[in-house]
Amino acid sequence: MAGEAGLSRIGTIMLGVEDLDRSLVFYRDTLGLSVQSSSAEFAFLDAGGVTLALRQTSNLPGPVELRTELVFHVDDIDATYSLLRQRGVAFRVEPRIVTGDQLAADFRDPDGHVLSIFGPRGGGAGRA
């Protein structure tokens, strides 16, 4: 069943951070991870087969929530989003562009952990 939805690999682990610049200095300069890309809201670092994403939490709506998020990379975000909705997944937001042509949508598991799907529309190769 998971293969039908394209949730066969976790490609990104996202950490909510209070100060993106400070955290980027730590992960890049202190730990030695190379930066794949960054913006005002996100920094993506190469963590050897998985991407470590840092997300600035101060600009999130509602109460500030530092969080860890597992991100499933998918080949077609619209198809995966539609299938998961049919299976009863309640997404917090519809797929939205987060970097370049890559979209993301997130939801919670039964214990409240944040899970996301991330990828392009219509079958391109999704990678942060």
Side-chain angles (χ1 to χ4, degrees):
M1 259 203 267
E4 293 174 24
L7 300 184
S8 60
R9 67 185 168 98
I10 294 174
T12 303
I13 297 173
M14 186 177 308
L15 301 177
V17 298
E18 290 180 5
D19 183 329
L20 183 60
D21 293 331
R22 179 187 68 195
S23 293
L24 185 56
V25 167
F26 175 77
Y27 283 96
R28 181 191 60 216
D29 301 344
T30 304
L31 299 185
L33 299 180
S34 61
V35 176
Q36 295 171 332
S37 65
S38 63
S39 67
E41 185 178 0
F42 295 99
F44 298 94
L45 300 108
D46 183 355
V50 68
T51 297
L52 175 63
L54 307 176
R55 182 177 190 184
Q56 178 74 40
T57 58
S58 63
N59 55 357
L60 294 176
V64 172
E65 176 184 353
L66 292 181
R67 64 184 185 179
T68 302
E69 184 171 329
L70 297 180
V71 181
F72 291 90
H73 289 210
V74 299
D75 293 328
D76 182 337
I77 195 162
D78 293 322
T80 302
Y81 175 78
S82 178
L83 182 60
L84 291 176
R85 283 192 50 154
Q86 290 172 12
R87 291 181 180 172
V89 172
F91 283 86
R92 299 189 311 171
V93 293
E94 293 187 16
R96 75 235 178 255
I97 293 178
V98 292
T99 181
D101 65 351
Q102 304 295 299
L103 292 89
D106 60 70
F107 54 99
R108 291 188 185 270
D109 76 2
D111 293 301
H113 301 111
V114 178
L115 306 175
S116 292
I117 54 173
F118 174 84
R121 293 193 187 278
R127 180 97 171 103

